[in-house]
Structure formats: structure tokens, C-alpha cells
């Protein structure tokens, strides 16, 4: 993730991501990256809302990795058994449900950006939506209705499930 908003997004590896659950950690996780059009449309709003809610940082996990052949691969494509198991662990830990499945699997397909609230090692909520940004307004593709405030409210609601400030 090239733009980490002056360090506010704490980039983590897959192993670090899974350790959030095992170590009973708490925080907001953003799955996506600067390679994603839809992520770029909303991440500044998410960072702004997280700061307003006094989160000290956001965990950022990028599902794109370099495989053993030196090629860029998306974990969500599940191209090998090892990768399927890693991806499935994320789906299971987030309790994510979707009718859309990863090709040739029965595993729900997570689209990015994907935001997950973790409290004491458990996912307490998630939110994903693909929005277009034009003239500072967020809207769905092929729709002009302004979804900016709805998006902000959903992010605020997700952050409120963390109740970070009450932990310390």
C-alpha cells in the first residue's frame, strides 16, 4: 500500500493479520490496496472517520503478494491449496457470507475494499461496498444517488463496534 496516510495505516502481513485474532487484538482492518480503484475512492474518508473516532491507526492488509514464481497473485483467487486455506481462514474469521463464490470453490468471494472490526480477537462486524467517486460524491456504479453520508455512517458504525477507547 503506497499511500499509508503518513503511517496511519499500519501495513501488516498475512501472518500478522491472523495473529490479530490469536492474540485477542482490537482494531479496524482494511483489506485492499492502492492498486484498487474502489479502495482509492473511499480510503481517505475511512481514515478521516477513524481519526475522528480516535482510533490510533488502521491495520492495512493487501491481498496481493508475490508467489514462489515471482509473480503477483491475489490471495482471493485461491490458485493453490495453500492459498485457498489461507483465504478461507480470513473468510471464516470474519464470518463473511456472500452468494458469489471464488471460481472453482465453495468459498465466498470478498471484494475490496473490505473493512473488518476486530474486538478482543473476534470479528464484530464487516463492511464492503464498491463505490465510484465523482466530484467528491460517492455513488454506486450506474447510479447517481449520493452514498457519501451512508458510507460514512456505516464506517462510523463499524468503528463503534470496536469501542477502542473503552479498552484502555
Amino acid at each position: 500500500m503506497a499511500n499509508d496516510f503518513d503511517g496511519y495505516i499500519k501495513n501488516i502481513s498475512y501472518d500478522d493479520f491472523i495473529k490479530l485474532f490469536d492474540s485477542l487484538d482490537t482494531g479496524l482492518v482494511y483489506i485492499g490496496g492502492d492498486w484498487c480503484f474502489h479502495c482509492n475512492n473511499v480510503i481517505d474518508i475511512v481514515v478521516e472517520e477513524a481519526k475522528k473516532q480516535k482510533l490510533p491507526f488502521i491495520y492495512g492488509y493487501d491481498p496481493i503478494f508475490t508467489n514462489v514464481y515471482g509473480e503477483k497473485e491475489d490471495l482471493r483467487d485461491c490458485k493453490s491449496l495453500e492459498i485457498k486455506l489461507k483465504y478461507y481462514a480470513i473468510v471464516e474469521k470474519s464470518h463473511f457470507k456472500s452468494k458469489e463464490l471464488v471460481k472453482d470453490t465453495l468459498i465466498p468471494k470478498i471484494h475490496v475494499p473490505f473493512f473488518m472490526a476486530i474486538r478482543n480477537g473476534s470479528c464484530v462486524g464487516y463492511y464492503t461496498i464498491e463505490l465510484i467517486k465523482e466530484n467528491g460524491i460517492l455513488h454506486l456504479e450506474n447510479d447517481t444517488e449520493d452514498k457519501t453520508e451512508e458510507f460514512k455512517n456505516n464506517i462510523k458504525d463499524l468503528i463503534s463496534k470496536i469501542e477502542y477507547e473503552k479498552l484502555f
Side-chain angles (χ1 to χ4, degrees):
M1 289 177 208
N3 187 348
D4 68 353
F5 295 89
D6 297 322
Y8 191 74
I9 297 176
K10 182 180 177 182
N11 295 320
I12 57 173
S13 67
Y14 174 84
D15 291 336
D16 291 335
F17 183 20
I18 296 303
K19 284 179 190 171
L20 295 175
F21 299 96
D22 298 339
S23 64
L24 306 178
D25 212 333
T26 294
L28 182 67
V29 177
Y30 155 59
I31 299 177
D34 58 4
W35 46 266
C36 171
F37 172 75
H38 296 291
C39 295
N40 290 328
N41 289 338
V42 300
I43 192 60
D44 58 330
I45 294 170
V46 174
V47 167
E48 179 182 319
E49 291 303 321
K51 286 180 177 181
K52 283 181 187 175
Q53 300 299 318
K54 303 206 181 338
L55 284 182
F57 56 84
I58 296 172
Y59 292 108
Y61 172 66
D62 189 339
I64 304 295
F65 67 98
T66 304
N67 66 21
V68 295
Y69 304 108
E71 304 163 333
K72 293 286 183 186
E73 188 175 329
D74 190 330
L75 184 83
R76 299 168 304 140
D77 291 337
C78 297
K79 291 185 176 180
S80 70
L81 179 58
E82 177 188 4
I83 300 305
K84 281 180 189 167
L85 292 172
K86 284 183 170 187
Y87 176 71
Y88 187 69
I90 293 172
V91 170
E92 279 295 298
K93 290 184 183 296
S94 68
H95 311 290
F96 180 71
K97 305 287 183 224
S98 173
K99 291 181 181 178
E100 184 181 358
L101 304 176
V102 175
K103 184 181 177 187
D104 299 326
T105 75
L106 296 175
I107 306 171
K109 175 78 172 189
I110 294 176
H111 289 276
V112 293
F114 185 85
F115 303 96
M116 179 189 312
I118 299 174
R119 181 170 166 78
N120 299 329
S122 295
C123 178
V124 292
Y126 61 81
Y127 180 62
T128 183
I129 190 167
E130 295 176 339
L131 294 168
I132 307 296
K133 188 175 195 177
E134 292 177 327
N135 302 320
I137 304 288
L138 296 174
H139 62 86
L140 295 169
E141 193 170 344
N142 301 320
D143 187 355
T144 58
E145 183 182 353
D146 185 353
K147 299 285 187 186
T148 308
E149 286 306 311
E150 181 180 327
F151 177 78
K152 285 181 181 181
N153 288 334
N154 284 322
I155 293 297
K156 285 182 208 175
D157 181 56
L158 189 62
I159 293 169
S160 74
K161 291 177 180 180
I162 297 169
E163 298 177 343
Y164 188 86
E165 67 280 353
K166 293 180 184 175
L167 294 174
F168 300 98

